[in-house]
Amino acid sequence: EAEVAQSPRYKITEKSQAVAFWCDPISGHATLYWYRQILGQGPELLVQFQDESVVDDSQLPKDRFSAERLKGVDSTLKIQPAELGDSAMYLCASSLAGADIQYFGAGTRLSVL
Amino acid sequence: GENVEQHPSTLSVQEGDSAVIKCTYSDSASNYFPWYKQELGKRPQLIIDIRSNVGEKKDQRIAVTLNKTAKHFSLHITETQPEDSAVYFCAASLAYGNKLVFGAGTILRVKS
């Protein structure tokens, strides 16, 4: 069964450093989502792509976060500089274009020290 | 924007008993309501979903009910088993391909 791939699984960094997360969606899925899940809470959308275009980045802290999906396939989420409050699980999900069901990756757990 | 509230935050049941988790949503335009199960350290997995044109959906021991008038939906798990222990999240979405707005999650513990 095809799955959404994410790497790394865990990342420890110091505040003010730069970090990057990678996501490879299920083949053929045009829509890609990045969610942030703080411990004890539900995931919250950071950014949504349709192919290579950003559809929704209203909750993305654009002063420090950036996301790209240059060829409309895999995607990278970057934080620079990282802050203590960025410690969370970063989940990537994908879906077929125009479809409801979203499939999640295993996530990247970020710890900022 | 949409807001989803989920209750209870923790739920303990004896093996074989039923478990019910409830969610309310704020935007009457929402029309898709999935439930995800997340085991410790693993990815959220879709266990059941319902669309606004349906009042109830069942899949073996799991069922979801939707009350559009009251803007709430519930997850029902019957004959609970220890492997049902996990965190369960409800979510709501406005339309096809739109973002999911999640509840805060319910920790379900099934005691054997």
Side-chain angles (χ1 to χ4, degrees):
Chain A
E1 180 178 305
E3 294 183 336
V4 176
Q6 287 189 249
S7 67
R9 287 296 311 278
Y10 304 94
K11 180 70 178 178
I12 300 174
T13 191
E14 294 182 345
K15 64 179 182 179
S16 79
Q17 296 299 302
V19 292
F21 316 131
W22 177 80
C23 172
D24 191 13
I26 294 172
S27 179
H29 283 197
T31 310
L32 185 148
Y33 312 80
W34 282 101
Y35 289 88
R36 178 169 60 185
Q37 185 178 21
I38 296 170
L39 194 62
Q41 299 180 19
E44 291 184 313
L45 183 76
L46 290 173
V47 61
Q48 177 182 345
F49 289 91
Q50 180 70 30
D51 298 311
E52 67 276 6
S53 300
V54 172
V55 173
D56 184 349
D57 64 356
S58 57
Q59 299 304 308
L60 187 71
K62 299 182 188 63
D63 57 335
R64 298 185 300 108
F65 287 64
S66 64
E68 60 183 16
R69 194 183 183 199
L70 293 176
K71 297 182 180 179
V73 181
D74 59 337
S75 175
T76 302
L77 178 70
K78 297 179 181 178
I79 308 175
Q80 183 173 17
E83 296 181 353
L84 296 177
D86 296 333
S87 294
M89 175 75 83
Y90 290 82
L91 292 164
C92 179
S94 70
S95 68
L96 289 167
D100 288 328
I101 298 175
Q102 296 183 24
Y103 299 87
F104 282 82
T108 295
R109 181 165 293 285
L110 173 67
S111 296
V112 182
L113 306 178
Chain B
E2 175 66 281
N3 182 52
V4 177
E5 295 190 356
Q6 183 172 346
H7 299 280
S9 56
T10 60
L11 179 60
S12 291
V13 299
Q14 284 293 135
E15 182 178 1
D17 288 350
S18 295
V20 180
I21 303 171
K22 299 179 180 179
C23 289
T24 60
Y25 60 98
S26 60
D27 193 335
S28 57
S30 290
N31 61 10
Y32 175 64
F33 308 92
W35 286 88
Y36 284 83
K37 175 183 180 182
Q38 188 175 27
E39 297 177 63
L40 190 64
K42 296 189 176 180
R43 69 190 70 207
Q45 292 202 307
L46 179 71
I47 56 171
I48 196 167
D49 57 8
I50 192 168
R51 292 179 173 80
S52 59
N53 59 346
V54 176
E56 182 176 1
K57 184 177 178 181
K58 287 184 179 180
D59 183 3
Q60 300 182 348
R61 298 186 296 109
I62 295 173
V64 56
T65 58
L66 171 65
N67 183 325
K68 288 189 295 182
T69 302
K71 290 190 284 187
H72 66 71
F73 56 111
S74 299
L75 177 71
H76 304 254
I77 306 174
T78 59
E79 301 173 20
T80 54
Q81 301 167 2
E83 51 265 39
D84 293 330
S85 297
V87 181
Y88 291 81
F89 292 98
C90 64
S93 175
L94 281 175
Y96 296 105
N98 266 277
K99 69 177 182 182
L100 294 173
V101 178
F102 284 85
T106 296
I107 301 171
L108 174 64
R109 296 191 184 94
V110 180
K111 297 175 285 186
S112 57

